[in-house]
Amino acid sequence: MKLRHLIAVLAFLTTSLCVGQNNQISLEDIWSGEFRTEGMQALHSMNNGKQYSVLNFDRQSGDTTIDIYDYQTLEKVKTLVSSSDISEVQRFVDYTFSEDETKILLTTKSLPVFRRSTLGEFFVYDIQSEQVTKVSDDFIQEPTLSPDATKIAFGFKNNLYVKNLTTGQVDQITFDGEKNKIINGITDWVYEEEFSFVRAFDWNAESNKIAFIRFDESEVPEFSMDVFGSELYQTQQVFKYPKAGEANSKVSLHMYNLESEELTELKVDKSYEDFYIPRLEWTNEASILSVQFMNRHQNELDLWFINTNANTSNLVLAEQDKAYIDVTFNLTFLKDNSFIWTSEKDGFNHIYHYNKNGDLINQVTKGDWEVTDYYGFDDEADTIFYQSTENGSINRDVYSISLNGKNKKRLTKTEGTNSASFSADFTYFINTHSSATTPPEYTLNNSKTGNVVKSIKDNEQLAQKVGNYLTSKKEFSTINVNGNALNMWMIKPADFDASKTYPLFMYQYSGPGSQQVTNRWNSANDYWYQMLAQQGYIVACVDGRGTGFKGADFKKITQNELGKYEVEDQIAAAKKLGNLPYIDESRIGIWGWSYGGFMSSNALFKGNDVFKMAIAVAPVTSWRFYDTIYTERYMTTPQENPSGYDENSPINHVDKLKGDFLLIHGSGDDNVHLQNTMRMVEALIQADKQFEWMIYPDKNHGIYGGNTRLHLYKKMTNFIHKTLGDKIDKIDEEKETSKIKG
């Protein structure tokens, strides 16, 4: 470790007598951006493997630039394009190169739709001619350049269009798109949220065919939300949202041939009922399309190759699981159209290599650990690069391994969370490393040895700034409850005295496959926990059964019973921690957001002899209110599993409430609907239970915008003080008395 980094880390870990290091963290500090980290925006490795591009913003001029840097020297080679050079553009917020890097798609304006989807204004910049072409006068979705960079396809009002960048001609290729009925090439709400993609169309390698998914959501029930805004009358947002057990969109697969101008439906040689198409991607052969089909229970996944010239299909891979199968973006085609695939079929997520007919060539990685990211394949070196938990489930490291599964090498040397962005020729990778004691630092590394070539950016100023505050070490450990060693972190007051007792405030999320106990740099919540520790609380987080990166059995034990084992683990962990001599077992609280709000509500109700208080933000209160894809993946349908839905939903346990409860929601939450909280409130009222609650008007699942986050965290902090902090004043008095006596 470099000396200056060591100094910054020691400043973070230790408490000094100097005045500067006794600064107290405030909520205003946290939400003002005081602790914001610097990063590398929109990093792209150039095809030559020698250079990379980054999006930069000049705060003084307000200009944005796409700048090219040399990997070896890290020096800026040139500015490829600046917003100041384009009269039609004030600034751009993102960019994408065409495959041949002759053109750049510039995003100049962007309006959010849902979590991942946006409407935007886009321009195409021709690097050689320096000409700029506006894609459309309308705000469009998911514009995508063809591989030969002569055309661009995009979605507009539920239809697909193609623009010829040479002639300027725009062709509409679908015509039946209609809001809340038919969507072409853009995912519906539940696909976007749960399968994590928006663009449901893809160009083939020869730029003459577009394959896309069509969504018929006519029979999907509608959900509506009032939007209060600032007008005299509120409006309504109405959209299709399939709740568990209800009708999904009917999906079908289609292809448009640009040469023949024909639109055809593509089918496979198997009859499916009530199915999903979570992925489609053209292979390296221009006529072969890969498509993944999945049953509604999501425990069967079929990978098909469709020959679009012969109109034939081949089932190349079929996976089954007793619980569910995770859909990933890891499918990668090699030059011979063999492919890389990741699977949990041996109990842990690993990399597999199949030939183009779907025959297994070999399992590339093996062991009781998880592959957490797949970075790519170096054809010349016959080497795969990936990220894994082999160095402990709370850490991440970057590895290389030969395609035959031999010559595995750990490329990152520093413990914590490492992630890589490789040069196009796999000569270098830019490693992003952070840990609980080290803010994100970016280094250029050699891909053969992993050795650091040069430091790029290190956030050293932030480390020094944090070192000026009174902070505590985040202590990682495991806690043995219910027959499992669960990962845990704990933050104690900086002046912790084991002879005294402190209130305990627990945080968790606990959703299937999630992880909160990780060795990485602070989020905003971590600064909040440091602030609470300054004020006399011990804060802890435990990842119970059902969370990720410890094998499929550990993760999938919660199948069909969400909220059972996870809640049992939080209650048991709280009891065990409450037995520690320095924790006041009568003052234990818990909080969480979304799935975590579902959990904290359940923990307070079912663990009413353990938890004194709970805060639930945007909670699911009954899985009957949540969407099909997520909920049924873990619970099947409510028609099939009614007891699983009802026995562990907090709305059905409100009669057990004894402690203090704060319920918070945004009225514009399109994900976990306000309905969850309103139904919980009614149940609490009818059970004659007192509680506190807060609704943030028009705020979505993230509950942010303007002063909102600061207000939210002030409300939660005040509630914590009121319900858990009744003895903290006495502790403070003892401190003052001790100082006087000293």
Coordinates of all heavy atoms in Angstrom, one line a residue, residues 395-457:
N395 N -15.9 -10.3 0.0 CA -14.9 -9.7 -0.9 C -15.1 -10.1 -2.4 O -15.9 -11.0 -2.7 CB -13.5 -10.2 -0.5 CG -13.1 -9.7 0.9 OD1 -13.2 -8.6 1.3 ND2 -12.6 -10.7 1.7
R396 N -14.5 -9.3 -3.3 CA -14.5 -9.6 -4.7 C -13.1 -9.4 -5.2 O -12.5 -8.4 -5.0 CB -15.5 -8.6 -5.4 CG -16.9 -8.6 -5.0 CD -17.7 -9.9 -5.4 NE -19.1 -9.8 -5.0 CZ -19.6 -10.2 -3.9 NH1 -18.8 -10.6 -2.9 NH2 -20.9 -10.1 -3.6
D397 N -12.7 -10.4 -6.1 CA -11.5 -10.3 -6.7 C -11.6 -10.7 -8.2 O -12.6 -11.3 -8.6 CB -10.4 -11.3 -6.1 CG -9.8 -10.7 -4.9 OD1 -9.0 -9.7 -5.0 OD2 -10.1 -11.2 -3.7
V398 N -10.7 -10.2 -9.0 CA -10.6 -10.4 -10.4 C -9.6 -11.6 -10.7 O -8.5 -11.6 -10.2 CB -10.2 -9.2 -11.2 CG1 -10.2 -9.4 -12.7 CG2 -11.2 -8.0 -10.9
Y399 N -10.1 -12.5 -11.5 CA -9.3 -13.7 -11.9 C -9.2 -13.9 -13.4 O -10.0 -13.4 -14.1 CB -9.9 -15.0 -11.3 CG -9.8 -15.1 -9.8 CD1 -10.6 -14.4 -8.9 CD2 -8.8 -15.9 -9.2 CE1 -10.5 -14.6 -7.6 CE2 -8.7 -16.0 -7.8 CZ -9.5 -15.4 -7.0 OH -9.4 -15.5 -5.6
S400 N -8.2 -14.6 -13.8 CA -8.1 -15.2 -15.1 C -8.0 -16.7 -15.1 O -7.5 -17.2 -14.1 CB -6.9 -14.6 -15.9 OG -5.7 -15.0 -15.3
I401 N -8.4 -17.3 -16.1 CA -8.4 -18.8 -16.2 C -8.4 -19.2 -17.6 O -9.1 -18.6 -18.5 CB -9.5 -19.4 -15.4 CG1 -9.3 -20.9 -15.2 CG2 -10.9 -19.2 -16.0 CD1 -10.3 -21.6 -14.2
S402 N -7.7 -20.2 -18.0 CA -7.7 -20.8 -19.4 C -9.1 -21.4 -19.7 O -9.8 -21.8 -18.8 CB -6.6 -21.8 -19.6 OG -5.4 -21.2 -19.4
L403 N -9.5 -21.4 -20.9 CA -10.8 -21.9 -21.3 C -10.9 -23.3 -20.9 O -12.1 -23.8 -20.7 CB -10.9 -21.7 -22.8 CG -12.3 -22.0 -23.4 CD1 -13.4 -21.1 -22.8 CD2 -12.3 -21.8 -24.9
N404 N -9.8 -24.1 -20.8 CA -9.9 -25.5 -20.4 C -10.0 -25.7 -18.8 O -10.0 -26.8 -18.3 CB -8.7 -26.3 -20.9 CG -7.4 -25.8 -20.4 OD1 -7.3 -25.0 -19.5 ND2 -6.3 -26.3 -21.0
G405 N -10.1 -24.5 -18.1 CA -10.2 -24.6 -16.7 C -8.9 -24.7 -15.9 O -8.9 -24.8 -14.7
K406 N -7.8 -24.5 -16.6 CA -6.5 -24.6 -16.0 C -5.9 -23.2 -15.9 O -6.4 -22.2 -16.4 CB -5.5 -25.5 -16.7 CG -6.0 -26.9 -16.8 CD -5.1 -27.8 -17.6 CE -5.6 -29.3 -17.6 NZ -4.7 -30.2 -18.4
N407 N -4.7 -23.1 -15.2 CA -3.9 -21.8 -15.1 C -4.7 -20.7 -14.5 O -4.6 -19.5 -14.9 CB -3.4 -21.4 -16.5 CG -2.7 -22.5 -17.1 OD1 -1.8 -23.2 -16.5 ND2 -3.0 -22.8 -18.4
K408 N -5.5 -21.0 -13.4 CA -6.2 -19.9 -12.8 C -5.3 -19.0 -12.0 O -4.3 -19.4 -11.4 CB -7.3 -20.5 -11.8 CG -8.1 -19.4 -11.1 CD -9.2 -20.0 -10.3 CE -8.7 -20.9 -9.1 NZ -9.8 -21.4 -8.3
K409 N -5.5 -17.7 -12.1 CA -4.7 -16.7 -11.5 C -5.5 -15.6 -10.9 O -6.4 -15.0 -11.5 CB -3.7 -16.1 -12.5 CG -2.7 -15.2 -11.9 CD -1.7 -14.6 -13.1 CE -0.9 -15.8 -13.7 NZ 0.0 -15.2 -14.7
R410 N -5.2 -15.3 -9.6 CA -5.8 -14.1 -8.9 C -5.1 -12.8 -9.4 O -3.9 -12.7 -9.2 CB -5.8 -14.2 -7.4 CG -6.4 -13.1 -6.7 CD -6.2 -13.2 -5.2 NE -6.7 -12.0 -4.5 CZ -6.4 -11.8 -3.2 NH1 -5.8 -12.7 -2.4 NH2 -6.9 -10.7 -2.6
L411 N -5.8 -11.9 -10.0 CA -5.1 -10.8 -10.6 C -5.1 -9.5 -9.7 O -4.3 -8.7 -9.8 CB -5.8 -10.4 -11.9 CG -5.7 -11.4 -13.0 CD1 -6.5 -11.0 -14.3 CD2 -4.3 -11.7 -13.4
T412 N -6.1 -9.5 -8.8 CA -6.1 -8.3 -7.8 C -5.5 -8.8 -6.5 O -5.8 -9.9 -6.0 CB -7.6 -7.8 -7.7 OG1 -8.5 -8.9 -7.5 CG2 -8.0 -7.1 -8.9
K413 N -4.8 -7.9 -5.9 CA -4.0 -8.2 -4.7 C -4.5 -7.7 -3.4 O -4.1 -8.1 -2.4 CB -2.5 -7.7 -4.9 CG -2.0 -7.9 -6.3 CD -1.8 -9.3 -6.7 CE -1.1 -9.4 -8.1 NZ -1.0 -10.8 -8.6
T414 N -5.4 -6.6 -3.5 CA -5.8 -5.9 -2.3 C -7.2 -6.4 -1.9 O -8.1 -6.4 -2.7 CB -5.8 -4.4 -2.5 OG1 -4.6 -4.0 -3.1 CG2 -6.0 -3.7 -1.2
E415 N -7.3 -6.7 -0.6 CA -8.6 -7.3 -0.1 C -9.6 -6.2 -0.1 O -9.4 -5.0 0.2 CB -8.4 -7.8 1.3 CG -9.6 -8.6 1.8 CD -9.3 -9.4 3.0 OE1 -8.6 -10.4 2.9 OE2 -9.8 -9.0 4.1
G416 N -10.8 -6.6 -0.4 CA -12.0 -5.6 -0.5 C -12.8 -6.0 -1.7 O -13.0 -7.2 -2.1
T417 N -13.4 -5.0 -2.4 CA -14.2 -5.2 -3.5 C -13.4 -4.7 -4.8 O -13.1 -3.5 -4.9 CB -15.5 -4.5 -3.4 OG1 -16.2 -5.0 -2.3 CG2 -16.4 -4.6 -4.6
N418 N -13.1 -5.6 -5.7 CA -12.4 -5.2 -6.9 C -13.3 -5.5 -8.1 O -14.0 -6.6 -8.2 CB -11.1 -6.1 -7.0 CG -10.1 -5.8 -6.0 OD1 -9.3 -4.8 -6.1 ND2 -10.1 -6.6 -4.9
S419 N -13.4 -4.6 -9.1 CA -14.1 -4.9 -10.3 C -13.3 -4.3 -11.5 O -12.5 -3.3 -11.3 CB -15.5 -4.2 -10.3 OG -15.4 -2.8 -10.1
A420 N -13.4 -4.9 -12.6 CA -12.5 -4.6 -13.7 C -13.2 -4.1 -15.0 O -14.3 -4.6 -15.3 CB -11.7 -5.8 -14.1
S421 N -12.5 -3.3 -15.7 CA -13.0 -2.9 -17.1 C -11.8 -3.1 -18.0 O -10.7 -2.5 -17.8 CB -13.4 -1.4 -17.1 OG -13.7 -1.0 -18.4
F422 N -11.9 -4.1 -18.9 CA -10.7 -4.5 -19.7 C -10.6 -3.8 -21.0 O -11.6 -3.3 -21.6 CB -10.9 -6.0 -20.0 CG -10.5 -6.9 -18.9 CD1 -11.4 -7.2 -17.9 CD2 -9.2 -7.5 -18.8 CE1 -11.1 -8.0 -16.8 CE2 -8.9 -8.3 -17.7 CZ -9.8 -8.5 -16.7
S423 N -9.4 -3.6 -21.4 CA -9.1 -3.0 -22.8 C -9.6 -4.0 -23.8 O -9.8 -5.2 -23.5 CB -7.6 -2.8 -23.0 OG -6.9 -4.0 -22.9
A424 N -9.9 -3.6 -25.0 CA -10.5 -4.4 -26.0 C -9.7 -5.6 -26.4 O -10.2 -6.7 -26.7 CB -10.8 -3.6 -27.3
D425 N -8.3 -5.5 -26.3 CA -7.4 -6.6 -26.6 C -7.0 -7.3 -25.4 O -6.1 -8.2 -25.4 CB -6.2 -6.1 -27.4 CG -5.4 -5.1 -26.6 OD1 -5.7 -4.8 -25.4 OD2 -4.3 -4.7 -27.1
F426 N -7.6 -7.0 -24.2 CA -7.3 -7.7 -22.9 C -5.8 -7.5 -22.5 O -5.3 -8.3 -21.7 CB -7.7 -9.1 -23.0 CG -9.2 -9.3 -23.1 CD1 -9.7 -9.6 -24.3 CD2 -10.0 -9.3 -22.0 CE1 -11.1 -9.8 -24.5 CE2 -11.4 -9.4 -22.1 CZ -11.9 -9.7 -23.3
T427 N -5.1 -6.5 -22.9 CA -3.8 -6.2 -22.5 C -3.8 -5.6 -21.1 O -3.0 -6.0 -20.2 CB -3.1 -5.3 -23.4 OG1 -3.0 -5.9 -24.7 CG2 -1.6 -5.0 -22.9
Y428 N -4.8 -4.7 -20.8 CA -4.9 -4.0 -19.6 C -6.3 -4.2 -19.0 O -7.2 -4.5 -19.7 CB -4.6 -2.5 -19.7 CG -3.2 -2.2 -20.3 CD1 -3.1 -1.8 -21.6 CD2 -2.1 -2.3 -19.5 CE1 -1.8 -1.5 -22.1 CE2 -0.8 -2.0 -20.0 CZ -0.7 -1.6 -21.3 OH 0.5 -1.3 -21.8
F429 N -6.4 -3.9 -17.7 CA -7.7 -3.6 -17.1 C -7.6 -2.5 -16.1 O -6.6 -2.3 -15.5 CB -8.4 -4.9 -16.5 CG -7.7 -5.4 -15.3 CD1 -8.1 -5.0 -14.0 CD2 -6.7 -6.3 -15.4 CE1 -7.6 -5.5 -12.9 CE2 -6.1 -6.8 -14.2 CZ -6.5 -6.4 -13.0
I430 N -8.7 -1.7 -16.1 CA -8.8 -0.6 -15.1 C -9.5 -1.3 -13.9 O -10.7 -1.7 -14.1 CB -9.5 0.6 -15.6 CG1 -8.6 1.3 -16.7 CG2 -9.8 1.6 -14.5 CD1 -9.3 2.5 -17.4
N431 N -8.9 -1.3 -12.8 CA -9.4 -1.9 -11.6 C -10.0 -0.9 -10.7 O -9.4 0.1 -10.4 CB -8.4 -2.8 -10.8 CG -9.0 -3.5 -9.7 OD1 -10.0 -4.3 -9.9 ND2 -8.5 -3.3 -8.5
T432 N -11.2 -1.1 -10.3 CA -11.8 -0.2 -9.2 C -11.8 -1.0 -7.9 O -12.4 -2.1 -7.8 CB -13.3 0.1 -9.6 OG1 -13.3 0.7 -10.9 CG2 -13.9 1.1 -8.6
H433 N -11.1 -0.5 -7.0 CA -11.0 -1.1 -5.7 C -11.5 -0.2 -4.6 O -11.3 1.0 -4.6 CB -9.6 -1.5 -5.3 CG -9.4 -1.9 -3.9 ND1 -9.0 -1.0 -2.9 CD2 -9.6 -3.1 -3.3 CE1 -8.9 -1.6 -1.8 NE2 -9.3 -2.9 -1.9
S434 N -12.3 -0.8 -3.6 CA -12.6 -0.1 -2.4 C -12.7 -1.1 -1.3 O -12.9 -2.3 -1.6 CB -13.9 0.7 -2.6 OG -15.0 -0.1 -2.4
S435 N -12.7 -0.6 -0.1 CA -13.0 -1.5 1.1 C -13.7 -0.6 2.1 O -13.9 0.6 1.9 CB -11.7 -2.1 1.6 OG -10.9 -1.1 2.2
A436 N -13.9 -1.2 3.3 CA -14.6 -0.5 4.3 C -13.7 0.7 4.8 O -14.2 1.6 5.5 CB -14.9 -1.4 5.5
T437 N -12.4 0.6 4.5 CA -11.5 1.6 5.0 C -10.8 2.4 3.9 O -10.1 3.4 4.1 CB -10.3 1.0 5.8 OG1 -9.7 0.0 5.0 CG2 -10.9 0.3 7.1
T438 N -11.1 2.1 2.6 CA -10.5 2.7 1.5 C -11.5 3.1 0.5 O -12.2 2.3 -0.1 CB -9.4 1.8 0.8 OG1 -8.5 1.3 1.8 CG2 -8.7 2.5 -0.3
P439 N -11.6 4.4 0.2 CA -12.6 4.9 -0.8 C -12.2 4.4 -2.2 O -11.0 4.0 -2.4 CB -12.6 6.4 -0.7 CG -11.3 6.7 -0.1 CD -10.9 5.6 0.8
P440 N -13.1 4.4 -3.2 CA -12.7 3.9 -4.5 C -11.5 4.5 -5.1 O -11.2 5.7 -5.1 CB -13.9 4.3 -5.4 CG -15.1 4.4 -4.4 CD -14.4 4.9 -3.1
E441 N -10.6 3.6 -5.6 CA -9.4 4.0 -6.2 C -9.3 3.2 -7.6 O -9.6 2.0 -7.6 CB -8.1 3.7 -5.4 CG -8.0 2.3 -4.8 CD -6.9 2.2 -3.8 OE1 -6.2 3.2 -3.6 OE2 -6.6 1.1 -3.3
Y442 N -8.8 3.9 -8.6 CA -8.8 3.4 -9.9 C -7.3 3.2 -10.3 O -6.6 4.1 -10.3 CB -9.5 4.3 -10.9 CG -11.0 4.5 -10.6 CD1 -11.3 5.5 -9.6 CD2 -12.0 3.8 -11.2 CE1 -12.7 5.7 -9.3 CE2 -13.3 4.0 -10.8 CZ -13.6 4.9 -9.9 OH -15.0 5.1 -9.5
T443 N -7.0 2.0 -10.8 CA -5.6 1.7 -11.2 C -5.6 1.0 -12.5 O -6.5 0.3 -12.9 CB -4.9 0.8 -10.1 OG1 -5.6 -0.4 -10.0 CG2 -4.7 1.5 -8.8
L444 N -4.5 1.2 -13.3 CA -4.3 0.5 -14.5 C -3.5 -0.7 -14.2 O -2.4 -0.6 -13.6 CB -3.6 1.4 -15.5 CG -3.3 0.7 -16.9 CD1 -4.6 0.5 -17.6 CD2 -2.3 1.5 -17.7
N445 N -4.0 -1.9 -14.6 CA -3.3 -3.2 -14.2 C -3.0 -4.0 -15.5 O -3.7 -3.9 -16.5 CB -4.2 -4.0 -13.3 CG -4.5 -3.4 -12.0 OD1 -5.0 -2.2 -11.9 ND2 -4.2 -4.0 -10.9
N446 N -1.9 -4.7 -15.4 CA -1.5 -5.7 -16.4 C -2.4 -6.9 -16.4 O -2.5 -7.5 -15.3 CB -0.1 -6.0 -16.3 CG 0.4 -6.9 -17.4 OD1 0.0 -8.1 -17.5 ND2 1.3 -6.4 -18.2
S447 N -3.0 -7.3 -17.5 CA -4.0 -8.4 -17.4 C -3.3 -9.8 -17.3 O -4.0 -10.8 -17.0 CB -4.8 -8.4 -18.7 OG -5.6 -7.3 -18.8
K448 N -2.0 -9.8 -17.6 CA -1.3 -11.1 -17.5 C -0.9 -11.4 -16.0 O -1.1 -12.5 -15.5 CB -0.1 -11.1 -18.4 CG -0.4 -10.9 -19.9 CD -1.1 -12.1 -20.5 CE -1.2 -12.0 -22.0 NZ -2.0 -10.8 -22.4
T449 N -0.4 -10.4 -15.4 CA 0.1 -10.5 -14.0 C -0.8 -9.9 -12.9 O -0.7 -10.3 -11.8 CB 1.5 -9.8 -13.9 OG1 1.3 -8.4 -14.1 CG2 2.5 -10.4 -14.9
G450 N -1.6 -9.0 -13.3 CA -2.5 -8.3 -12.4 C -1.7 -7.1 -11.7 O -2.3 -6.4 -11.0
N451 N -0.4 -7.0 -12.0 CA 0.3 -5.9 -11.4 C -0.2 -4.5 -11.7 O -0.6 -4.3 -12.9 CB 1.8 -6.0 -11.8 CG 2.5 -7.3 -11.2 OD1 2.0 -7.8 -10.2 ND2 3.5 -7.7 -11.8
V452 N -0.1 -3.6 -10.8 CA -0.5 -2.2 -11.0 C 0.5 -1.6 -11.9 O 1.7 -1.6 -11.6 CB -0.7 -1.5 -9.7 CG1 -1.0 0.0 -10.0 CG2 -1.9 -2.1 -8.9
V453 N 0.1 -1.0 -13.0 CA 0.9 -0.2 -13.9 C 1.0 1.2 -13.4 O 2.1 1.8 -13.2 CB 0.5 -0.3 -15.3 CG1 1.4 0.5 -16.3 CG2 0.4 -1.7 -15.8
K454 N -0.2 1.8 -13.2 CA -0.2 3.2 -12.7 C -1.5 3.4 -11.9 O -2.5 2.8 -12.1 CB -0.1 4.2 -13.9 CG 1.2 4.2 -14.6 CD 1.3 5.3 -15.6 CE 2.6 5.4 -16.3 NZ 2.7 6.4 -17.3
S455 N -1.4 4.4 -11.1 CA -2.6 4.9 -10.4 C -3.3 5.9 -11.2 O -2.7 6.8 -11.8 CB -2.3 5.5 -9.0 OG -3.4 6.0 -8.4
I456 N -4.7 5.8 -11.3 CA -5.4 6.8 -12.2 C -6.1 7.8 -11.3 O -6.0 9.0 -11.5 CB -6.5 6.0 -13.0 CG1 -5.8 5.0 -13.9 CG2 -7.2 7.0 -13.9 CD1 -6.7 4.1 -14.7
K457 N -6.9 7.3 -10.3 CA -7.6 8.2 -9.4 C -7.8 7.5 -8.1 O -8.0 6.3 -8.1 CB -9.0 8.5 -10.1 CG -9.8 9.6 -9.3 CD -11.0 9.9 -10.1 CE -10.7 10.7 -11.4 NZ -12.0 11.2 -12.1

